[in-house]
Amino acid sequence: MKLSHTLRSTSAVFDDPNLVSAAGLVPALALAESAGLRDLADEHLSVPTDKGANAGLKVTSLVGGMVAGADSIDDMALLRHGGMGRLFTRAYAPSTLGSFLRAFTFGHVRQLDAIASRFLIALGGLTGLLGASADPAASDTDTDLEVDRGYALVDVDDTIIEVHGYAKQGAGFGYSGVRGLNALLATLTVPGGAPVVVAQRLRKGSTGSPRGAKRLVGDAVRTARRLLGKNRPILVRMDSAFYGRRPVHAAIAGGAAVSVTVRMDKRIKAAIEAIADDAWTTIEYTDAIFDEPSGRWISRAEVAEIDFTAFAAQKKSDHVPGRLVVRRIPDFNAEKNKAAGQDTLFDTWRFHAFFTTTDADVLDTVAADKMHRHHAVIEQVHADLKGAALAHLPSGVFTANAAWLVLAVIAFNLTRAAANLTDRELAKATTATLRRKLIIVPARVATSARRITLHLPHAWPWESAWTALFDRVNDPPPSLAA
């Protein structure tokens, strides 16, 4: 590819009032309108003074900008160019939206959390996201069908969002050694589907991972229940930072099972030593080879399990019976340790253990271990958000950044729901891919007989997917016309 003309014979003028750079916002925000985002914000958000006026329009402006790629308040200016005023009304200026965010208190952020949860549930009903039905009662009546679909997975983890400068309230150095703020997220994934975010919380950068996890886990399980129905089994997966009675009990109180990595304390080591030598099973792992004649994996990794009661040192009401599943791999330093006379069990093998309350008849030892290792899927969501609206936390005010996080999650879920209406290839794509193929599509706005027509690029490679989305939100079938 090369230029068809030299730059000397080419000119550029920003003078067309009918062009837009993000025509995909039309079906995306139509979907948000159908799911009631603006009405939810008007009803539940009570930001005071003139800064909080027309909350619904300001929330949709911020979410629309994020869907189109904005990662700072100044970027919201992309909503006010060319023919955007003909497609959308009341797209607020960046300064107005910044003032709106800075007026938030922690209570208003919690109101926005409630809006995000209700909006996700509405999206689930409209689009079939996560297999949710528009009628929640429908999934409650078919117990066998729900169980056959397997566990719905709620993953909980936190991440540090790096910030620069010293004007950011709450910024500090956390466990990663990076100066920033700490975002705690919970995602929901069903087999064969892509994850959505069901709960979120922004915290100080220096905070410990489990701080506030009890409430967030409870919120996440409740939202998952409302999305999937009461009969769908839910498994909450967490790493060792969240191995504590509060997050675990919050999950169990919501009717979910747990799978949480444990720390190698004395009780865990004693339980591992009690596992019989013949209880270990080889598993598919890094560098494993499947031997067809024997039907077994030839691997240096093995798993076993033993009955275990978590938090047995606490009061009896805190005890949680379950299984301790242990994976072991040879320690590469074993020979050195043996030569030094240190050939004990824990010098010969490296152990990774997790506690689970899942039913052994549903998930045996090998299956439970494999499912727990896939907890890392939440890291992909962290990376996705940081490649989009969470590339920056744009304000110096902590509560404004907390609200920005919730809005970023709403934009993430909206983009995911829109992709779910196109095709299977895009349904699991990253936000950056969806933005490139469905949202940032240039168009010319034309009006004829009081009807607006968008003239999009000829031979757009993803025309069929874009058209499928537009048709579904423009004239949805009865099952989507809630």
Side-chain angles (χ1 to χ4, degrees):
M1 176 182 289
K2 70 174 186 177
L3 290 172
S4 59
H5 297 77
T6 64
L7 288 181
R8 290 185 178 180
S9 59
T10 304
S11 61
V13 181
F14 289 87
D15 64 351
D16 196 323
N18 298 314
L19 286 179
V20 295
S21 64
L25 280 179
V26 173
L29 290 188
L31 178 58
E33 185 75 15
S34 297
L37 179 59
R38 180 168 58 86
D39 293 337
L40 285 169
D42 284 333
E43 179 181 356
H44 297 286
L45 201 53
S46 60
V47 178
T49 73
D50 62 317
K51 304 293 190 298
N54 299 316
L57 291 170
K58 291 174 181 175
V59 165
T60 51
S61 291
L62 287 161
V63 170
M66 291 177 175
V67 170
D71 60 21
S72 69
I73 294 174
D74 286 344
D75 284 354
M76 294 297 162
L78 62 81
L79 299 175
R80 295 157 65 89
H81 70 272
M84 293 292 280
R86 300 178 62 183
L87 298 176
F88 306 99
T89 59
R90 305 293 295 276
Y92 285 91
S95 58
T96 302
L97 297 176
S99 297
F100 172 64
L101 289 173
R102 288 189 292 273
F104 273 64
T105 65
F106 178 73
H108 298 128
V109 176
R110 290 295 290 160
Q111 290 175 350
L112 200 56
D113 285 335
I115 292 167
S117 177
R118 289 176 170 88
F119 179 64
L120 177 58
I121 292 166
L123 284 176
L126 282 171
T127 67
L129 188 65
L130 297 168
S133 168
D135 179 10
S139 59
D140 294 342
T141 59
D142 196 346
T143 303
D144 293 336
L145 178 61
E146 290 297 321
V147 172
D148 287 345
R149 290 176 180 173
Y151 280 105
L153 304 172
V154 173
D155 293 300
V156 179
D157 202 0
D158 62 338
T159 185
I160 300 295
I161 304 173
E162 186 175 9
V163 299
H164 305 278
Y166 293 91
K168 301 282 186 181
Q169 289 182 343
F173 291 94
Y175 56 83
S176 66
V178 174
R179 186 173 184 274
L181 294 169
N182 185 297
L184 179 60
L185 300 176
T187 63
L188 173 63
T189 313
V190 296
V196 296
V197 182
V198 290
Q200 61 287 315
R201 189 71 43 80
L202 188 67
R203 307 173 301 176
K204 295 192 302 181
S206 59
T207 193
S209 292
R211 183 182 177 91
K214 176 184 177 181
R215 174 174 287 185
L216 182 125
V217 170
D219 290 347
V221 173
R222 281 191 292 271
T223 299
R225 279 274 171 246
R226 294 179 65 187
L227 270 167
L228 302 173
K230 66 181 181 181
N231 295 315
R232 183 69 179 269
I234 295 174
L235 175 62
V236 178
R237 301 186 293 191
M238 300 178 283
D239 63 26
S240 61
F242 302 94
Y243 180 62
R245 55 189 177 88
R246 291 185 176 183
V248 170
H249 276 279
I252 294 173
V258 297
S259 181
V260 53
T261 306
V262 298
R263 293 177 287 274
M264 284 292 169
D265 57 22
K266 292 181 179 179
R267 287 192 65 243
I268 299 299
K269 289 184 176 182
I272 294 174
E273 289 177 333
I275 297 175
D277 290 339
D278 59 356
W280 297 93
T281 303
T282 56
I283 60 171
E284 178 184 4
Y285 203 62
T286 304
D287 299 328
I289 299 174
F290 186 72
D291 182 54
E292 292 186 1
S294 65
R296 298 183 59 186
W297 286 95
I298 300 175
S299 170
R300 291 181 294 178
E302 301 172 333
V303 294
E305 70 170 71
I306 190 171
D307 291 339
F308 187 78
T309 299
F311 319 120
Q314 308 296 325
K315 58 184 180 180
K316 190 172 183 179
S317 60
D318 289 335
H319 295 184
V320 180
R323 303 184 284 158
L324 186 70
V325 179
V326 186
R327 181 175 69 256
R328 72 180 186 181
I329 58 175
D331 191 333
F332 293 122
N333 294 318
E335 293 299 325
K336 183 188 299 183
N337 294 332
K338 186 175 182 179
Q342 299 176 352
D343 54 343
T344 64
L345 175 66
F346 290 91
D347 290 320
T348 306
W349 298 91
R350 292 172 55 199
F351 293 91
H352 305 268
F354 65 92
F355 172 76
T356 181
T357 61
T358 54
D359 187 346
D361 293 332
V362 178
L363 288 179
D364 61 19
T365 308
V366 175
D369 173 71
K370 187 174 183 178
M371 179 168 284
H372 183 76
R373 278 187 276 146
H374 289 170
H375 165 65
V377 68
I378 193 172
E379 299 293 344
Q380 298 175 3
V381 177
H382 290 164
D384 196 320
L385 286 167
K386 290 180 180 179
L390 290 189
H392 304 93
L393 288 171
S395 178
V397 179
F398 179 83
T399 49
N401 288 328
W404 184 270
L405 169 63
V406 183
L407 292 166
V409 165
I410 292 174
F412 175 88
N413 289 338
L414 174 59
T415 306
R416 180 64 54 210
N420 198 59
L421 295 178
T422 57
D423 57 47
R424 290 188 176 183
E425 180 183 351
L426 288 178
K428 294 184 179 181
T430 64
T431 297
T433 298
L434 296 174
R435 187 187 309 126
R436 183 177 66 253
K437 296 182 178 181
L438 297 178
I439 306 299
I440 306 300
V441 186
R444 183 185 298 277
V445 184
T447 305
S448 177
R450 298 183 180 180
R451 182 179 180 86
I452 291 179
T453 300
L454 291 175
H455 293 278
L456 295 106
H458 175 66
W460 184 253
W462 305 282
E463 176 183 347
S464 60
W466 197 98
T467 303
L469 172 60
F470 185 82
D471 290 345
R472 293 291 293 274
V473 298
N474 184 51
D475 188 16
S479 62
L480 298 181

